[in-house]
């Protein structure tokens, strides 16, 4: 092999090493990004779970409030009827 060819091969190898170094750096950055995204995803899952629990609690409270409203409505109608009876008898 000629010396020029060997020099050319060495230059190519150096370029390849640089490229490989850059690729390794890019992979390291991508790994950091993936780790960050996994952490964020976990936080989002936790927030969704907490929101779900809160919505369920609100639903229970709303059901109770609806029962109270119905009871108060019944009592109001009952009181109105009692007042009419009182007015009719007086």
């Amino acid at each position: 092999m000629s010396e020029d060819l060997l020099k050319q091969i060495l230059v190519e190898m150096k370029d390849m090493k640089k490229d490989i170094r850059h690729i390794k750096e890019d992979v390291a950055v991508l790994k950091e990004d993936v780790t960050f995204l996994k952490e964020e995803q976990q936080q989002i899952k936790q927030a969704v779970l907490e929101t779900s629990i809160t919505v369920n609690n609100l639903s229970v409270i709303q059901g109770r409030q609806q029962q109270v409203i119905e009871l108060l409505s019944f009592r109001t109608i009952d009181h109105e009827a009692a007042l009419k009876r009182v007015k009719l008898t007086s």
Side-chain angles (χ1 to χ4, degrees):
M1 277 203 222
S2 72
E3 194 170 314
D4 288 340
L5 181 61
L6 288 175
K7 285 181 181 180
Q8 185 180 359
I9 291 172
L10 283 173
V11 168
E12 287 292 322
M13 287 181 67
K14 286 180 183 179
D15 289 344
M16 287 175 63
K17 282 184 178 183
K18 286 180 187 177
D19 290 343
I20 290 171
R21 194 174 321 118
H22 290 300
I23 291 171
K24 285 182 178 181
E25 290 170 0
D26 289 345
V27 168
V29 169
L30 288 173
K31 284 181 179 180
E32 289 175 7
D33 289 347
V34 167
T35 301
F36 176 76
L37 290 173
K38 284 181 179 180
E39 290 170 0
E40 273 194 336
Q41 182 184 26
Q42 198 59 32
Q43 291 173 355
I44 291 169
K45 283 181 180 180
Q46 183 63 32
V48 168
L49 177 64
E50 290 171 4
T51 301
S52 177
I53 291 169
T54 300
V55 167
N56 288 337
N57 290 340
L58 289 174
S59 178
V60 169
I61 291 169
Q62 185 180 17
R64 289 181 194 151
Q65 287 176 338
Q66 183 63 35
Q67 289 173 345
V68 169
I69 289 170
E70 290 170 4
L71 179 61
L72 290 174
S73 176
F74 174 75
R75 285 184 182 172
T76 300
I77 293 169
D78 192 41
H79 288 150
E80 286 177 1
L83 285 173
K84 283 186 181 181
R85 282 193 300 271
V86 168
K87 283 182 183 179
L88 290 176
T89 58
S90 31

